């Protein structure tokens, strides 16, 4: 990769290869794998390299980046395989391409600090992680391109994502975890970028519960804002709520912050006041009624808990570190 083959052309080629091999496509369908992954504590470094070789065979083929993403997310890193890989102890280092593809499947901000707006897999893999593919242009013949597609086709025919018969692939030596993959550029992002990535992850989880989460990191969650009303105290006096502490309307709208101004007898947040809507923190009407009835109105108090992810120990498992996009 990376070439111009779309899913239609790839399926046509796989069908041709299957028929030549006497394989009945209806038995397993195109691109479908039914092999089972090793148990999380049974993965060896050789297994990880073989899985990386499968990814590399596809990465060096003439399919487009979009098709590569689709196959990895849908057919190779399926739920069962992701689950076992997620628990592989951190002491077993992932080969670089496998690590890049695995990271791409999750909403967690990458090691560089934060997901940037519009950061697609091409930029993430070739720019941020320096994973070189084999580039295919118009000067390459159809015969050459089909020959480059053949290793992945053979892996699919074998129905084995860890097929030891797969030949060594171009650039595979650069994927060896014992080699320096890339140097983290922590200067790419600022502290605000990191906070924004964390807020996007929190919004994603809230939307996921309602079935609204986007299916891919290529479609980042927008952060909404509303103009601040003029008749409220200055912003410096606000109570700021983030994550799950936001009011229901701010959570639903994808607001990165839920700010409650210092207004007596009106605990509504800035967003609800600007939109002239009721707020789950309370409203002037409920408080007026409480004064008339001399009964206390319970208003949800903001939490001061820090909402940061606890990092795993260097020798621990990957369990709990990853939240997959679109699930």
């Amino acid at each position: 990769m990376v070439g111009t083959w779309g899913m239609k052309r790839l399926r046509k080629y796989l069908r041709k290869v299957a028929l030549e091999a006497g394989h009945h496509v209806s038995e397993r369908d195109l691109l479908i794998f039914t092999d089972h992954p090793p148990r999380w504590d049974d993965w060896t470094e050789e297994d990880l390299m073989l899985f990386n070789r499968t990814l590399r065979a596809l990465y060096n083929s003439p399919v487009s980046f979009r098709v590569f993403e689709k196959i990895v997310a849908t057919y190779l890193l399926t739920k069962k395989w992701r689950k076992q890989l997620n628990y592989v102890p951190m002491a077993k280092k992932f080969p670089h391409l496998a690590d890049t593809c695995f990271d791409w499947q999750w909403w967690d901000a990458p090691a560089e600090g934060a997901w940037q707006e519009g950061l697609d897999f091409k930029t993430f893999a070739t720019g941020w992680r320096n994973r070189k593919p084999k580039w295919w242009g118009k000067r390459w013949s159809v015969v050459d391109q089909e020959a480059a597609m053949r290793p992945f086709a053979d892996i699919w025919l074998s129905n084995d994502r860890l097929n030891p018969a797969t030949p060594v692939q171009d650039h595979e030596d650069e994927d060896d975890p014992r080699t320096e993959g890339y140097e983290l550029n922590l200067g790419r992002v600022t502290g605000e970028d990191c906070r924004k990535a964390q807020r996007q992850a929190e919004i994603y989880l809230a939307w996921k519960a309602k079935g609204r989460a986007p299916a891919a990191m290529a479609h980042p969650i927008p952060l909404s804002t509303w103009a601040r009303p003029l008749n409220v105290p200055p912003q410096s006096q606000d109570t700021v709520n983030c994550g799950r502490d936001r009011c229901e309307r701010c959570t639903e709208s994808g607001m990165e912050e839920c700010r409650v101004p210092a207004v007596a007898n009106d605990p509504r947040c800035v967003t609800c006041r600007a939109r002239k809507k009721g707020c789950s923190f309370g409203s002037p009407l409920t408080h007026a009624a409480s004064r008339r009835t001399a009964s206390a109105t319970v208003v949800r108090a903001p939490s001061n808990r820090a909402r940061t992810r606890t990092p795993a120990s260097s020798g621990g498992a990957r369990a709990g570190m990853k939240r997959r996009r679109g699930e």
Side-chain angles (χ1 to χ4, degrees), residues 232-267:
V232 296
Q235 183 171 315
S236 60
Q237 300 180 28
D238 290 349
T239 298
V240 182
N241 305 307
C242 298
R244 297 177 183 176
D245 290 336
R246 293 167 297 166
C247 76
E248 293 178 5
R249 199 175 299 279
C250 283
T251 300
E252 179 70 20
S253 302
M255 297 295 296
E256 57 181 283
E257 297 176 330
C258 180
R259 307 184 70 97
V260 179
V263 179
N265 301 321
D266 189 352

Side-chain angles (χ1 to χ4, degrees), residues 86-108:
N86 201 31
Y87 283 81
V88 172
M90 295 290 284
K92 296 180 181 178
K93 302 296 184 183
F94 276 34
H96 296 314
L97 180 60
D99 190 53
T100 299
C101 293
F102 190 72
D103 277 355
W104 180 254
Q105 292 301 295
W106 310 87
W107 269 91
D108 301 55

Side-chain angles (χ1 to χ4, degrees), residues 51-65:
F51 184 68
N52 188 86
R53 185 170 294 173
T54 296
L55 295 170
R56 176 56 73 175
L58 183 63
Y59 200 49
N60 288 342
S61 76
V63 301
S64 67
F65 271 109

